[in-house]
Amino acid sequence: MNRLSPADWTVPVTDPQDPRVGRLLGSGLSGPEEALCVLVGFPVDEGVRRNGGRPGAAQGPSALRRALARLTPDPARWEGFVNLLRRTWDLGDLVPSGELTEDQEALGRVLAPYLERGSTAIILGGGHETALGHFLGHATAGRSVSILNWDAHPDVRPLLDAEGHSGSPFRQILEHPSGRCRGYHVVGLNPHVVAKAHLDYLDARGARYEFGPGLTQARIDEIYAELEADAMVSFDLDAVDQAAAPGVSAPGAIGLTPALWLHAAFRAGSSPAVRSIDIVELCPPLDRDDQTARLAALTIWKFWSGFLARGSQEGP
Ligand SMILES: [Mn+2]
């Protein structure tokens, strides 16, 4: 049975008039049971290793928290933002056993009770193998989900030696014996890194895919408007242009702009269908001056900002 290790939210001392995320987080709660929103880290990159990728994503959760802790609440939604932070609880990082399947199942067990009682969950990866554990949270809670994945790759590769990895989570989810995946839609594909056979696989499964080039904010709005509840959204940072997100295992010479990516994060927050998100593939050893960690942190910040606009027509 996996343990959770407490998260570090140390922030530099700031003026009391200038509180930061790291100081406010969870300050209105005595425990996670009443949390509106829960965070959990999955410091695992065993799947990246198995997939032949460059490891380092196991350090993702701590680098992401460091960047997130320093941010201010959104001044445009000040009171709501501060209140949301005060009612957000970080469960900490899952302590990996070293056995990937076991760790993915453990992540599912950690998430399930919170998803069941209606908390919104944010999972800090880890390689994209994080998404299978994320899905297992819903499956364990007895909930069927539709899945939206922002990614340069479809991540439906076959297993390797009968084992999953960072390139296979959505194949494992689509074929999961629980039958809890209601639909899969991947957006942001980079045509030069997508195997035709994987698109054929998606077609055969009735899954949907869209390429990154040509994507607009209006199309992102439509994608969320069409999203069926309950939904989980996965944010793979390698969908973003390498110039803006160098700290990933598999960067792309072209990719989504940060503006489009963050619009997708805001809409995930403002869409009532969305129950949980993950941010994956942040690889701190390959990062440049914490640039990708900052973008990952801002992805969550935008999600929170969108969450406060839930049910209204407000834009970012
Ligand atoms: Mn991916």
Side-chain angles (χ1 to χ4, degrees):
M1 190 72 190
N2 298 64
R3 291 178 300 112
L4 289 162
S5 67
D8 181 7
W9 282 98
T10 312
V11 277
V13 177
T14 53
D15 190 283
Q17 297 300 308
D18 178 20
R20 304 299 172 90
V21 168
R23 188 132 324 195
L24 293 165
L25 208 76
S27 59
L29 297 167
S30 50
E33 294 76 18
E34 301 298 314
L36 272 181
C37 181
V38 290
L39 306 181
V40 61
F42 191 66
V44 170
D45 54 17
E46 179 55 27
V48 176
R49 226 177 295 262
R50 282 189 196 168
N51 195 21
R54 300 181 295 170
Q59 296 168 48
S62 50
L64 201 164
R65 283 192 189 92
R66 266 197 308 279
L68 185 56
R70 293 164 174 265
L71 304 183
T72 60
D74 185 354
R77 300 180 168 89
W78 179 260
E79 275 182 30
F81 209 110
V82 167
N83 185 47
L84 176 57
L85 292 173
R86 286 170 56 77
R87 298 182 62 194
T88 294
W89 190 271
D90 190 342
L91 300 165
D93 281 345
L94 191 98
V95 178
S97 69
E99 212 289 292
L100 179 57
T101 304
E102 202 175 302
D103 292 337
Q104 287 165 318
E105 287 169 358
L107 177 59
R109 283 193 301 271
V110 166
L111 289 168
Y114 297 98
L115 293 169
E116 213 166 344
R117 68 168 72 104
S119 300
T120 299
I122 301 177
I123 300 102
L124 320 177
H128 218 154
E129 60 268 35
T130 304
L132 177 58
H134 179 182
F135 165 77
L136 290 175
H138 288 281
T140 307
R143 205 185 285 281
S144 295
V145 277
S146 41
I147 300 174
L148 174 59
N149 179 28
W150 299 93
D151 201 329
H153 318 90
D155 285 354
V156 290
R157 286 189 182 180
L159 305 190
L160 294 166
D161 303 326
E163 297 204 81
H165 50 86
S166 67
S168 69
F170 299 103
R171 180 180 290 247
Q172 291 171 279
I173 289 170
L174 283 161
E175 297 179 9
H176 197 263
S178 67
R180 289 293 184 183
C181 174
R182 228 188 296 106
Y184 176 54
H185 189 178
V186 55
V187 187
L189 297 180
N190 243 342
H192 58 284
V193 291
V194 174
K196 167 81 165 58
H198 296 164
L199 300 185
D200 294 343
Y201 172 85
L202 292 175
D203 283 332
R205 288 264 160 189
R208 298 164 68 199
Y209 51 86
E210 295 182 36
F211 290 89
L215 189 70
T216 61
Q217 292 201 351
R219 178 61 195 139
I220 291 173
D221 291 348
E222 276 172 19
I223 288 168
Y224 280 104
E226 292 163 4
L227 191 59
E228 254 182 74
D230 295 314
M232 62 174 256
V233 185
S234 190
F235 288 93
D236 183 333
L237 287 155
D238 75 20
V240 179
D241 198 293
Q242 181 173 11
V248 295
S249 171
I254 57 164
L256 302 184
T257 63
L260 282 178
W261 169 264
L262 295 170
H263 188 75
F266 182 91
R267 282 289 170 238
S270 70
S271 163
V274 177
R275 303 298 311 271
S276 57
I277 62 167
D278 63 54
I279 294 91
V280 299
E281 294 289 345
L282 171 60
C283 184
L286 298 172
D287 208 358
R288 177 172 63 208
D289 193 23
D290 297 334
Q291 186 180 3
T292 317
R294 285 197 191 90
L295 182 65
L298 191 50
T299 305
I300 295 177
W301 189 96
K302 279 283 183 182
F303 174 79
W304 278 332
S305 196
F307 190 81
L308 296 166
R310 206 166 258 215
S312 80
Q313 294 304 307
E314 271 179 72

